Amino acid sequence: MPSVIDNRAEQQFTLEVSGETAVAAYQREGDVIVFTHTVVPPAIEGHGVGSKLIRGALDAARDQGLRVVPQCPFVAAYIQRHPEYADLLA
């Protein structure tokens, strides 16, 4: 499966699967990253694409020493289901 890409110019993490692109939009505020919304195209929903996207985004945030604010309900739910990411919460 393809890897998650941090498109800093557009402030979004992307994951391309089968010609479709899932997006996790964010805003950087110093050492805090605020995830604002996540979009997974209907054609690739239900295959774990959103979870892979958010896992990659959260791993990147950890690697950069960022604190996370999950405004997006999908990101908040992912962190709740995966407590190993709870330490990232701002």
Side-chain angles (χ1 to χ4, degrees), residues 17-38:
V17 177
S18 303
E20 301 279 347
T21 303
V23 175
Y26 65 83
Q27 295 173 343
R28 284 280 301 265
E29 300 168 6
D31 65 348
V32 174
I33 186 166
V34 179
F35 286 97
T36 55
H37 67 274
T38 302

Side-chain angles (χ1 to χ4, degrees), residues 1-7 12-18 20-23 49 51-57 59-60:
M1 189 175 251
S3 58
V4 174
I5 296 169
D6 183 1
N7 181 342
Q12 59 189 18
F13 286 93
T14 59
L15 178 60
E16 189 172 324
V17 177
S18 303
E20 301 279 347
T21 303
V23 175
V49 174
S51 292
K52 179 172 173 48
L53 173 64
I54 299 308
R55 182 170 57 249
D59 287 344

